[in-house]
Amino acid sequence: MMKRRHFLAGAAALMTSPWHAWAQPSSLPEGQIRIFVGWAPGGGTDTFARIISQKLGERWGKAVVVENKPGATGMLAAGYFANTECREGINLLITHVNTHAIAPHLFQSRINYDALKDFTPIVSIGATPHLLVTSVDNPVDSVQEIVEACRAAPGKVTFGSSGVGSVQHLAIAMFNAAADVQGLHVPYKGSGPMHSDMMGRQIGYSFDTMTASAPHVQGGRFKALAQTRMTRTKSFPDLPTMDELGFKNYDASSWYGVSGPSGMPAEIVQMLNEEINAVLAMPDVVERFEGYGVEDGGGSAEKFAGFMQDEYTKWGEVVRVAGVTAEG
């Protein structure tokens, strides 16, 4: 295992480190500024990282590099980040619900980081709902009809996900528990192949990410029957939430944030928090993020830390109660 990073031990280390010179954004430490992303280029998580990196680079007059380390639903990048010695400059990680709230409960034997101790929360980027979608050719038009179909044929009605341990997977488990049914989970290696099979009616439904599924809904290939946050997103104001449809407190979202290594000095966390909050408030960034359904970003580092703790606890309980395993 790679050596676990120790990111400044005490005041003496702070005074001799490259962080000491960084009292203001105009005084950056030497070396690269990098944002690690645990997914391949082109996906939603990567897109959000690149928007932020571009804007920070413009504010600071220095390139902010996005480095992709895809694999294992983000765990590869999170483990690398937590266990690699700090390099000169600044390293940040796009923190995700999969890596910091779900994976720690499902993949204990495979995970090589502590989701709550090996990172310093800096700021929330925001959260997106999932959409309960199906092929536009499917005659079913309501969640209640899905429930009735599941009760008529236990273990036969199929729900696709982008992989074992994904939010889509856990959203299916939440639905099964809330409706007292046995929908069948069908994991894929990403949303792309799942979409193809749904269009071909090989699978019935998915609690897919809004980022991935909205273009298919808008293009007339999928129809959306519900959304999964407690409040309706601005992008789908007429689509009811699962909570509104009687599945009380049903709340499943993909969320994103920015974290640093463990032990990051408080004044640096505060400066980064203020800078990224300024980026998130830019009108063109707000417009782009709302187009992806990303809402409720920004706020203090303490708020994001508390949110991460709450999500860690919530998804751990879902895994326990629903009996979800790493095998799917």
Side-chain angles (χ1 to χ4, degrees), residues 105-106 170 313-324:
H105 303 290
L106 272 182
L170 272 293
T313 301
K314 179 185 87 174
W315 288 111
E317 186 68 5
V318 171
V319 169
R320 185 187 68 80
V321 172
V324 181

Side-chain angles (χ1 to χ4, degrees), residues 1-76:
M1 180 182 292
M2 292 176 284
K3 184 177 179 182
R4 187 172 299 274
R5 83 171 64 189
H6 298 282
F7 196 92
L8 304 179
L14 175 59
M15 294 298 290
T16 59
S17 76
W19 293 107
H20 181 54
W22 196 357
Q24 299 293 332
S26 60
S27 179
L28 298 172
E30 294 183 3
Q32 280 192 324
I33 303 169
R34 299 184 301 167
I35 301 178
F36 288 88
V37 177
W39 282 265
T45 310
D46 175 74
T47 298
F48 306 147
R50 291 182 188 276
I51 292 171
I52 291 171
S53 69
Q54 178 189 349
K55 293 298 186 179
L56 289 177
E58 291 171 359
R59 287 175 67 84
W60 296 342
K62 184 171 182 174
V64 179
V65 178
V66 174
E67 187 163 325
N68 299 87
K69 288 190 173 296
T73 60
M75 289 189 294
L76 183 65

Side-chain angles (χ1 to χ4, degrees), residues 129-147:
H130 287 229
L131 302 180
L132 176 54
V133 291
T134 187
S135 168
V136 71
D137 297 324
N138 189 337
V140 170
D141 286 320
S142 71
V143 179
Q144 185 56 41
E145 288 179 78
I146 300 175
V147 172

Side-chain angles (χ1 to χ4, degrees), residues 75-89:
M75 289 189 294
L76 183 65
Y80 175 87
F81 189 86
N83 291 285
T84 302
E85 282 296 325
C86 178
R87 303 179 189 178
E88 193 176 72

Side-chain angles (χ1 to χ4, degrees), residues 8-318:
L8 304 179
L14 175 59
M15 294 298 290
T16 59
S17 76
W19 293 107
H20 181 54
W22 196 357
Q24 299 293 332
S26 60
S27 179
L28 298 172
E30 294 183 3
Q32 280 192 324
I33 303 169
R34 299 184 301 167
I35 301 178
F36 288 88
V37 177
W39 282 265
T45 310
D46 175 74
T47 298
F48 306 147
R50 291 182 188 276
I51 292 171
I52 291 171
S53 69
Q54 178 189 349
K55 293 298 186 179
L56 289 177
E58 291 171 359
R59 287 175 67 84
W60 296 342
K62 184 171 182 174
V64 179
V65 178
V66 174
E67 187 163 325
N68 299 87
K69 288 190 173 296
T73 60
M75 289 189 294
L76 183 65
Y80 175 87
F81 189 86
N83 291 285
T84 302
E85 282 296 325
C86 178
R87 303 179 189 178
E88 193 176 72
I90 178 172
N91 296 312
L92 302 171
L93 176 73
I94 297 296
T95 316
H96 190 277
V97 59
N98 283 354
T99 56
H100 282 69
I102 295 175
H105 303 290
L106 272 182
F107 304 109
Q108 296 96 331
S109 62
R110 304 182 208 173
I111 207 166
N112 65 340
Y113 60 89
D114 187 311
L116 299 180
K117 295 180 180 179
D118 290 344
F119 308 86
T120 300
I122 295 173
V123 66
S124 167
I125 294 174
T128 63
H130 287 229
L131 302 180
L132 176 54
V133 291
T134 187
S135 168
V136 71
D137 297 324
N138 189 337
V140 170
D141 286 320
S142 71
V143 179
Q144 185 56 41
E145 288 179 78
I146 300 175
V147 172
E148 292 169 0
C150 289
R151 288 177 177 163
K156 302 293 184 182
V157 178
T158 51
F159 294 79
S161 82
S162 63
V164 174
S166 64
V167 185
Q168 296 103 312
H169 178 191
L170 272 293
I172 297 162
M174 289 175 66
F175 172 74
N176 282 341
D180 192 23
V181 296
Q182 298 176 35
L184 177 63
H185 173 224
V186 182
Y188 288 80
K189 293 182 178 179
S191 290
M194 178 186 68
H195 290 166
S196 296
D197 276 4
M198 189 178 298
M199 290 175 201
R201 300 287 302 276
Q202 280 104 336
I203 61 168
Y205 308 92
S206 176
F207 286 92
D208 199 15
T209 64
M210 180 176 159
T211 306
S213 60
H216 293 295
V217 175
Q218 294 157 351
R221 294 174 291 277
F222 292 168
K223 56 184 173 183
L225 305 180
Q227 54 184 304
T228 64
R229 294 192 76 197
M230 294 295 290
T231 57
R232 299 185 186 190
T233 180
K234 296 176 183 176
S235 300
F236 284 87
D238 299 324
L239 186 66
T241 67
M242 292 290 287
D243 181 77
E244 290 175 55
L245 294 173
F247 300 87
K248 292 304 178 184
N249 300 314
Y250 188 106
D251 187 6
S253 63
S254 286
W255 54 259
Y256 315 83
V258 179
S259 294
S262 62
M264 180 178 274
E267 62 268 32
I268 304 305
V269 173
Q270 181 63 27
M271 189 279 290
L272 287 169
N273 175 273
E274 292 173 0
E275 286 291 293
I276 298 173
N277 267 299
V279 166
L280 295 174
M282 293 178 179
D284 59 328
V285 174
V286 171
E287 182 179 2
R288 292 185 70 183
F289 275 24
E290 286 186 352
Y292 287 106
V294 181
E295 297 176 354
D296 300 330
S300 69
E302 292 76 16
K303 177 182 176 183
F304 184 41
F307 173 79
M308 287 177 62
Q309 175 67 71
D310 290 344
E311 284 285 291
Y312 180 93
T313 301
K314 179 185 87 174
W315 288 111
E317 186 68 5
V318 171

